[in-house]
Structure formats: structure tokens, C-alpha cells
Amino acid sequence: MAKRDYYEVLGIDKSADQDTIKKAYRKLAVKYHPDRNPGDKEAEEKFKEATEAYEILSDEQKRPIYDQYGFAGLDGMGAGGGGYSHAFHDFSDLFGGAGSSFSDIFESIFGGGFGGGSRSSRRGPAAGASLRYDLHIKFKDAVYGTSADIHFKHNEVCDVCKGSGGEAGSSKKTCPSCGGAGQIRQGNGFFSIQQTCPTCRGKGSVIDKPCSSCRGTGIKEKNKMVSLKIPAGVDNGKRLVIHGQGDAGENGGPAGDLVVILHVDSHPYFERSENDLYCAVPVSMSQAALGCELTLTGLDDKKISIKIPDGTPNGKLLRIKGEGVPVSGSIRKGDLYVKIMVQIPDHLSSKQKDLLKAFMEAENPTSSPSLMPLSQLER
């Protein structure tokens, strides 16, 4: 299977700074660490993938090479191992800076201490994961705003057991694996790790009759639909956050968010630059030479009158104020720029040829023209 782009793995833009990279990796590391997902091969692979991405993008030497040459540029530099070593030796920077101890670091990931810390091991409320949704919208809708129904899946609190994880009348008992501590210790001799108990998931207790609907997790995956209002003037890549519509939190924690990323389709006749619109309109030689008035159909189907001055050259940009993209949070709009494209006919009638010959004779053009300065072409 082909590797995914490292920026895509961490869910960040290529312009992301180191703080953003660290935050993105920390979130994935907490979510997919094998000690929080015992036996889950998919979670383990995602953890390895995120760790590898962070190892490259957090390195001031490797990141520029990857940006320019991709995976091929990293060959022979020790990249792509996919192991856990980097996660262990660099978490101090991720979870609180150089002054953080191993105990603090591993407590952030495993919910416990490193080597037998004295802090409480029980898992408290934890916020749910935020979800990403990519939404494609039409060019016109991005300019003038629209609404959309978002259909997605997320984890909700089980409606049968109300999040308790147990059937009606069930009771809790001390976890037989950790003796109620919520953690187990692994390792031999001097080096050992105290981590979340996989049996009770750090709760210290188990339910004698797990809920048949959610299998004792207290959470179920469900289909969801929310209506989203897309404001006028949004651009490609804009992120809209719907709070509380991500995955449900654990142990009473708040739900995550749904982050909607907009992808704006192109338009056959209009282009956009910030809050200005651009289009092109063809005119005949006589219209350009003598001047005329035209009626255009704007992006919003509004009829717009435009005056073409006499002697308008090919490629001339004419500005129509206030007919561009609405400025976010304002009543103002950008401008519409119309590019004049003078059309040279390739088929002329006899009458048209006679008229043009007469015009050329009256014009008396020289057969030995001087070269035109390039600076004039740029204007």
C-alpha cells in the first residue's frame, strides 16, 4: 500500500508551524497508542504512521528535503522506520517542554505513571475526538453563501444504557486484572512501565452484565445529519467548526467538534482573487475601435451594463465596482474586472473586405514599422 502524505496523516497544512505539528501529533498519539487500544492492529498502524510523520516534519533538516523531493529524498536518512523510539524520546517536548518528567509524559498517554508514580490512576472525563468532513460546493455558492446538510458517522453515548455500559440491574465489580487500580505494570527489573489496564480501560471496575447494544463501551457509532449555513465570501480551504458534533467524550467528558473543510469547484466563466471577480468578454474590431455599450450577465444572473470606450485595446481590464465577492463580516463587496478580448474575423464577406480595404487606404499604414518598446506591451 502506498504511503500517505505526512501532512495528510497529521491533518495539517504544509505551512503549519512546529507548535501546530506537535499538537496534531499529540492528539493522534493519545488516540491511537497501543496501550489505549490493546489488540487493535489498525490503531497500532495509525500510531506508527503518525509517529513517522512527526519524526520527519519536526526535524529541521528532514522536513525541507521531504517538502522538495518527497519520500524519495528521505532514503538513507533513517526515515520511515515506523517504530516507537521517537515517540518515547521526544514526548517530553510534546507534553510540556523540557522540564516535564517521564512520569508526566506517560501519564498524558497511558493515564498513569512511569515506573510506579504516586498519582491517581483512575481515568477522569476525557473530551471526544474531533472529526473532519470535506465538503465540495459550487463557485457561486461560495461567493453568495448557501446551506448544506452534512451526513456523517460519529460516536454517541449509547441510548440504551445511557453511557453506563451495563444492562438494567447490572452492577460493577473490582477489575480482576488490576485489582481496582486501573493500571498494570509491565517490564522487568529497573525499567518498568505502569499503563492503563486493558481489561477495565483504566476504570478499575468491570460490569457483570455489559450492555448488549454497545457491548459495555457506553458508546455507539451512529449516522448523523446536521444543517450547516455557509456564509457568503468563503474561499477554498475554509474551515467551519460545528462544536459538539464530533465523537462523544469518555466518562462524561465533552464531545469533540466536527470540522468542515470547504472545497470550492471552479467556474467556466469566472475566476476569483480574494474579493474580486474576473471574466472575459469578446468584442468585435469595430466595437473596440468605435466604442459601445454591452449588457453582461453576472455570476448572480444580474444584468450588468458596461461601457466600452472607443479605442479599447485587446486585453484591456475594465473595472465594475461593487460587483465582486462579499467581504466577510461586512456589507462591502469586491469588484468585477472584465477583460476585453478583441475578435479578429477569419471569414469576411466581399462587402466587409471592400470596406476594410477602403479603411486601410484611408489609414495609410506604413509597410516598414518601427519596433515597439516592450514596456508599452506591459501596459
Side-chain angles (χ1 to χ4, degrees):
M1 180 182 292
K3 281 188 176 182
R4 291 199 299 157
D5 175 71
Y6 287 145
Y7 292 97
E8 178 186 348
V9 170
L10 296 183
I12 56 177
D13 297 327
K14 288 191 174 181
S15 59
D17 57 20
Q18 286 298 318
D19 185 53
T20 301
I21 293 173
K22 291 174 184 177
K23 288 180 179 178
Y25 175 54
R26 181 191 186 281
K27 182 177 179 180
L28 294 174
V30 170
K31 183 177 181 180
Y32 293 117
H33 197 283
D35 293 320
R36 280 197 165 180
N37 303 273
D40 189 336
K41 294 297 183 182
E42 182 179 355
E44 182 178 344
E45 289 303 316
K46 288 184 177 180
F47 178 78
K48 291 180 180 179
E49 184 181 45
T51 300
E52 180 180 327
Y54 175 72
E55 183 175 1
I56 299 305
L57 300 185
S58 64
D59 190 301
E60 294 183 356
Q61 294 181 340
K62 293 179 181 178
R63 183 181 181 184
I65 294 174
Y66 172 72
D67 287 344
Q68 186 171 2
Y69 301 106
F71 296 112
L74 300 173
D75 290 345
M77 297 189 65
Y84 299 158
S85 60
H86 184 81
F88 280 90
H89 70 64
D90 202 42
F91 272 175
S92 59
D93 186 33
L94 285 172
F95 294 95
S100 295
S101 66
F102 274 127
S103 177
D104 293 334
I105 296 165
F106 279 85
E107 186 168 311
S108 295
I109 296 187
F110 304 131
F114 177 79
S118 59
R119 300 187 181 187
S120 172
S121 61
R122 302 301 177 89
R123 293 175 66 187
S130 292
L131 305 177
R132 169 175 173 157
Y133 188 97
D134 293 275
L135 178 64
H136 290 263
I137 61 174
K138 295 180 179 179
F139 185 92
K140 181 177 179 180
D141 290 337
V143 171
Y144 299 112
T146 187
S147 59
D149 291 336
I150 308 296
H151 297 266
F152 61 101
K153 291 182 178 181
H154 72 166
N155 292 332
E156 293 184 3
V157 173
C158 177
D159 54 359
V160 175
C161 67
K162 309 302 180 185
S164 69
E167 295 282 1
S170 62
S171 60
K172 294 182 179 180
K173 63 179 181 179
T174 301
C175 176
S177 298
C178 64
Q183 294 181 342
I184 58 175
R185 188 188 300 273
Q186 289 188 348
N188 296 314
F190 175 77
F191 189 85
S192 63
I193 298 175
Q194 188 171 313
Q195 62 186 41
T196 302
C197 174
T199 302
C200 65
R201 298 183 179 180
K203 296 180 179 180
S205 62
V206 293
I207 302 172
D208 58 354
K209 295 180 181 178
C211 173
S212 59
S213 180
C214 66
R215 297 181 180 180
T217 63
I219 292 176
K220 290 180 64 176
E221 185 180 70
K222 290 189 176 182
N223 292 317
K224 181 79 173 182
M225 188 278 286
V226 295
S227 295
L228 174 65
K229 183 177 180 180
I230 301 172
V234 296
D235 208 345
N236 192 57
K238 173 70 175 178
R239 292 171 178 249
L240 301 178
V241 179
I242 307 177
H243 296 291
Q245 293 297 334
D247 283 344
E250 296 183 33
N251 301 322
D257 300 327
L258 176 65
V259 181
V260 180
I261 301 178
L262 300 180
H263 301 271
V264 181
D265 296 337
S266 60
H267 194 281
Y269 303 114
F270 290 90
E271 290 184 355
R272 175 180 175 181
S273 177
E274 297 183 348
N275 292 107
D276 294 327
L277 289 175
Y278 291 79
C279 67
V281 60
V283 298
S284 68
M285 290 190 305
S286 57
Q287 287 176 315
L290 301 175
C292 63
E293 189 167 323
L294 302 176
T295 300
L296 308 180
T297 301
L299 179 63
D300 58 353
D301 298 326
K302 174 183 175 182
K303 299 301 180 181
I304 302 173
S305 295
I306 178 173
K307 185 176 182 179
I308 311 295
D310 58 317
T312 296
N314 182 59
K316 177 72 174 179
L317 277 177
L318 302 180
R319 183 177 70 164
I320 305 176
K321 293 184 178 180
E323 293 295 343
V325 179
V327 178
S328 180
S330 171
I331 60 173
R332 296 186 299 108
K333 290 184 178 180
D335 301 326
L336 171 64
Y337 288 87
V338 180
K339 188 173 185 179
I340 302 303
M341 307 299 294
V342 180
Q343 305 296 293
I344 306 297
D346 51 7
H347 296 289
L348 295 173
S349 66
S350 298
K351 182 178 180 181
Q352 288 174 323
K353 288 181 179 180
D354 291 339
L355 290 172
L356 281 178
K357 287 178 181 178
F359 175 78
M360 186 169 63
E361 290 174 358
E363 189 179 29
N364 191 26
T366 177
S367 59
S368 301
S370 301
L371 293 177
M372 179 181 291
L374 295 177
S375 58
Q376 293 187 22
L377 297 179
E378 296 173 355
R379 289 198 293 267

